[in-house]
Amino acid sequence: MTDITALKTKYTAQIEGAENLAALDDIRVAALGKKGEVSLQMRTLGKMSPEEKKIMGPALNGLKNELAALVEARKLALEAEALNTALASETLDMSLPVNTATGTLHPVMQVMEEMAVIFADMGFAVAEGPDIEDDFHNFTALNFPVGHPARDMHDTFFLKPSTTKDGEDKSSTENETGEKMVLRTHTSPVQIRTMMSQKPPIRIIVPGRTYRCDSDQTHTPMFHQVEGLVIDKTTNMSHLKGCLTDFISAFFETDVETRFRPHHFPFTEPSAEMDVRYERVGDEIRIGQGDGWMEILGCGMVHPNVLTNCGLDPNEYQGFAFGMGVDRLAMLKYGMPDLRDMFAGDSRWLSHYGFSPLLQANLATGLS
Ligand code: DAH
C-alpha cells in the first residue's frame, strides 16, 4: 500500500510540474509505458496471494487511471498555454503603413489580353507555337518557295552553330530532318501547326513574340504579333472584312471606318492590308474618323497551296487569315511615343504606362 501512495505522490508532482509536452510524455512513459513503474507493479499481481490481489488489483488500476487522467489534463493545459503564448507574440500591427509598391502589367500583355477577350466573343480560341521555328513552318509551308526574295524581306535571325573543340556543332541549328532553325519572323507558322494537327472548323488567334534583325524608332528586334486563322467550308472575304472591322472598333472603343487595300503575301490570295481612318490633333493621334488612312494589319484568303501543304483539300476547305503588330496597336491606343521604350525595362515607364493586374481586360475594353 505504501508503494502505491509513494508512486502517486511522486508522479502527481512530476506531472503537475512538467514544463512542456515533451517532458510530460517522458513522465507518462516512465510511469505508464510498457516498462513504466506502475506497469511493472501490475505485473507482480500474478505472484500475489488471492487476498493480497483483491486489495492490490483495484488499487493499482485506480492509480493507473488517476495518473492517465492527470497526464491528459496537464497536456490540455500545456497546449492552451502554447497557443496563448503564440497569440501574444504573433500580433499584427494594424497601424503600419500600407505597402503600395505593387507591380504592373506591361501594356503589351494588357493589349494581348484585350484582343483575346474581343476575339473570344467572336468564337476564337487561343493557340500558341514555339519561338524557335524550322524553315518549313516559318517559310516553306507558308508558300515562300526556297530562294524566294520574300524570305530576305523578313531579316531572319538564323541560329548559329555553336563551336566546340571538335568543330561546329549543328545540333541546335537544324532539326532532325535537316531543316534550318530560325527565330520565327511572324506568328504565321502557328497557322501551319494548327492546320496539321486539328481538323476544320478552325477559328484561332495566336498571340506571341516574333523576331527580325531590325532596330530603329519604329522597329525592335523582338516584337509581338497576333495572328488569326479561320478555316471551314464557307468562310469568304466578306466575313474577313466584317470580322476585322468589328474587332478594330471594339479594340479602340469607337466606330472605326476601315478600308481594304490590295497587297501581296505569299500565304494568302487575294491579300489585303486593312487601313483605318485617323486624324492628328496636335500631338495626339485619334483613330476612327478623320482624313488620314493608317495601315493596321495584313490579311487575306488562305492560299490553296498553304491548305495543300497542310493536307487540306482546297476544293473542300477555305478561310481567311490575318496578322497584326501588337506593340504599335498598344502605342496607338494608350499614347506611348517610342516603341523602343516598351522593352527598355525602365520601372518608371512601367509604373506610368503599366496596368493594374486586378483590372480585368474585359472591363478595360468595355465589353462584358
Ligand atoms: N505574317 C505577316 C507579317 O508578319 C502578317 C500577315 C499578313 C499574317 C497577312 C497573315 C496574313 O496571316 O494573312 O508580315
Side-chain angles (χ1 to χ4, degrees):
M1 258 341 222
T2 45
D3 269 352
I4 290 185
T5 321
L7 282 176
K8 184 176 165 181
T9 319
K10 173 176 154 190
Y11 283 112
T12 306
Q14 285 193 12
I15 291 167
E16 269 154 19
E19 279 183 6
N20 55 48
L21 290 166
L24 179 65
D25 204 52
D26 289 345
I27 298 163
R28 182 189 62 78
V29 172
L32 308 171
K34 241 191 205 158
K35 291 185 180 155
E37 249 185 304
V38 178
S39 314
L40 290 178
Q41 285 288 325
M42 292 188 85
R43 265 192 238 162
T44 62
L45 282 174
K47 290 183 198 138
M48 289 180 193
S49 67
E51 288 76 36
E52 240 183 323
K53 217 191 267 181
K54 230 188 229 164
I55 301 167
M56 288 300 280
L60 276 170
N61 248 327
L63 174 64
K64 187 180 113 185
N65 292 340
E66 223 174 301
L67 292 181
L70 282 174
V71 168
E72 193 52 35
R74 184 70 190 138
K75 191 175 158 210
L76 291 178
L78 284 171
E79 281 171 352
E81 226 171 85
L83 181 64
N84 284 335
T85 322
L87 287 176
S89 62
E90 293 167 16
T91 50
L92 199 59
D93 184 352
M94 302 295 278
S95 66
L96 285 174
V98 177
N99 179 7
T100 50
T102 53
T104 57
L105 218 53
H106 194 284
V108 169
M109 293 301 124
Q110 170 73 20
V111 160
M112 292 221 250
E113 205 38 47
E114 290 173 16
M115 291 179 174
V117 168
I118 296 168
F119 280 113
D121 272 4
M122 298 197 241
F124 285 75
V126 171
E128 285 183 307
D131 286 19
I132 297 177
E133 260 301 359
D134 55 42
D135 187 86
F136 172 78
H137 290 91
N138 197 79
F139 291 121
T140 312
L142 285 161
N143 202 32
F144 287 82
V146 176
H148 192 280
R151 289 184 178 222
D152 303 335
M153 278 157 45
H154 274 215
D155 302 310
T156 313
F157 283 115
F158 291 94
L159 267 69
K160 227 164 96 184
S162 48
T163 11
T164 66
K165 57 180 180 341
D166 306 321
E168 283 195 343
D169 172 14
K170 288 213 168 153
S171 58
S172 58
T173 62
E174 288 176 1
N175 69 7
E176 322 74 62
T177 54
E179 291 277 339
K180 267 193 270 175
M181 300 302 279
V182 302
L183 291 182
R184 65 176 176 194
T185 57
H186 48 180
T187 41
S188 306
V190 186
Q191 288 189 26
I192 305 299
R193 291 187 175 274
T194 307
M195 284 188 275
M196 291 181 93
S197 64
Q198 69 190 62
K199 280 218 133 321
I202 292 170
R203 198 177 268 223
I204 53 149
I205 58 158
V206 184
R209 272 189 282 271
T210 46
Y211 307 84
R212 288 186 203 177
C213 188
D214 205 353
S215 184
D216 59 35
Q217 206 177 346
T218 52
H219 296 90
T220 49
M222 187 279 302
F223 55 107
H224 298 84
Q225 287 189 338
V226 165
E227 187 84 12
L229 177 70
V230 176
I231 301 288
D232 54 28
K233 294 185 175 175
T234 53
T235 290
N236 60 44
M237 192 83 187
S238 60
H239 296 122
L240 157 68
K241 292 174 77 173
C243 172
L244 292 176
T245 304
D246 282 355
F247 160 72
I248 212 71
S249 295
F251 180 75
F252 284 109
E253 299 171 46
T254 178
D255 274 343
V256 180
E257 195 185 335
T258 57
R259 88 175 170 193
F260 290 78
R261 218 173 358 89
H263 196 73
H264 171 77
F265 297 106
F267 35 87
T268 42
E269 181 57 38
S271 304
E273 279 188 330
M274 183 177 92
D275 298 341
V276 295
R277 280 263 190 219
Y278 83 103
E279 63 185 337
R280 198 180 276 275
V281 183
D283 274 350
E284 198 192 331
I285 290 175
R286 291 201 190 143
I287 305 284
Q289 264 74 46
D291 292 338
W293 288 106
M294 183 188 292
E295 182 254 313
I296 288 284
L297 55 80
C299 55
M301 298 303 293
V302 177
H303 197 293
N305 288 354
V306 175
L307 293 169
T308 308
N309 290 341
C310 298
L312 296 176
D313 180 355
N315 294 314
E316 195 179 349
Y317 293 110
Q318 60 187 45
F320 65 78
F322 57 88
M324 61 189 122
V326 177
D327 314 299
R328 198 163 68 99
L329 282 169
M331 289 169 70
L332 285 171
K333 182 163 177 179
Y334 293 112
M336 279 128 354
D338 191 325
L339 181 64
R340 287 167 299 189
D341 293 339
M342 288 249 189
F343 311 119
D346 186 330
S347 60
R348 291 162 304 177
W349 187 91
L350 282 167
S351 62
H352 182 77
Y353 287 111
F355 289 81
S356 160
L358 301 176
L359 182 73
Q360 284 173 17
N362 55 352
L363 297 179
T365 60
L367 288 182
S368 57

